[in-house]
Amino acid sequence: MSAGLPPRRDHVVAAVATTAEVLAHPELDADMLAPWEHRRLSRIRVPARRDDVVAARLLLRLCASRFTGRAPDAHALIQFCPECGRYEHGRPSLRDSPRTGVSMSHAHGLVAAAAGPGAVGIDVEPSTRRPGPMAVLRRMLPEADLEAAVTSQDPGPELLRAWVRREALLKAGGAGLPLLEWEDPGRGATAAVASAAPVEVRSGMTAPGHR
């Protein structure tokens, strides 16, 4: 995402990038994270996974910045789990902009984030990943998606796309929301966004594309 772009308050702003791209972005710094986020990070012992988590949280702030027009460090991220009634985990939101929907994802050197009007969910996976086993997929994925995958010549990519669609919908909290999915060959990523609003994808934080 380049600096100086106007806010897109009628669109979801979504982005997929590598962890390295985000950590090198001139507008972003780990000091933007709140103390509670740093406490969570201190419990992650694998450096590469810790970097992924940092990058996802920073990319979320950058997407929120592009949506609202405010600086990335102006947004305070909170997380709340309604099941246990505790903060610091669960679905993310912006303290200063509670009506803005936000979501983030990270997986093995890839990160994704989205911010927009209303509920939104995003997921990213390496394109080489193959979810399974089938017993788990039968419980988690819609029957129609499974049938389409297993009857295709190469079911692996179909199953992965079905998986990221499911995760995006879960994060958005709404079955039936429109879905946008895409491949990012340069980064080896498969991603999906769930949102009722139009989606503007800024892959690699560069030029936007549209749904």
Side-chain angles (χ1 to χ4, degrees):
M1 294 183 188
S2 58
L5 292 174
R8 293 303 304 266
R9 295 189 177 92
D10 57 342
H11 284 59
V12 171
V13 177
V16 170
T18 66
T19 293
E21 285 177 312
V22 175
L23 296 183
H25 197 281
E27 292 183 75
L28 302 174
D29 191 284
D31 289 342
M32 294 178 182
L33 303 187
W36 69 267
E37 291 176 281
H38 284 290
R39 287 196 300 271
R40 286 192 61 180
L41 287 166
S42 69
R43 298 194 287 268
I44 302 174
R45 301 304 180 189
V46 180
R49 178 173 173 77
R50 186 166 56 245
D51 286 347
D52 288 347
V53 175
V54 170
R57 292 171 179 275
L58 291 176
L59 186 59
L60 185 151
R61 286 166 165 86
L62 190 58
C63 287
S65 171
R66 298 302 186 253
F67 175 69
T68 66
R70 302 177 63 192
D73 61 0
H75 294 292
L77 179 66
I78 59 175
Q79 288 182 260
F80 177 72
C81 176
E83 294 183 3
C84 69
R86 295 182 180 180
Y87 287 89
E88 301 189 6
H89 69 285
R91 187 174 296 169
S93 61
L94 300 178
R95 186 187 303 276
D96 55 296
S97 186
R99 294 186 179 181
T100 299
V102 293
S103 183
M104 59 185 165
S105 178
H106 56 84
H108 306 290
L110 295 170
V111 292
V120 61
I122 194 167
D123 194 58
V124 66
E125 291 286 352
S127 297
T128 54
R129 186 196 169 195
R130 295 296 177 257
M134 186 58 69
V136 174
L137 296 178
R138 290 189 188 281
R139 294 197 306 269
M140 306 297 284
L141 297 180
E143 184 177 349
D145 286 345
L146 279 174
E147 288 183 0
V150 298
T151 57
S152 66
Q153 290 186 339
D154 186 2
E158 291 289 342
L159 288 172
L160 182 63
R161 287 191 287 271
W163 183 268
V164 297
R165 291 197 299 267
R166 169 196 172 272
E167 289 293 299
L169 284 169
L170 282 176
K171 291 178 181 181
L177 284 173
L179 280 158
L180 170 67
E181 62 178 90
W182 72 98
E183 303 285 332
D184 187 330
R187 294 170 183 82
T190 297
V193 177
S195 171
V199 178
E200 179 182 278
V201 177
R202 299 181 179 182
S203 183
M205 301 179 292
T206 55
H210 298 275
R211 180 183 73 187

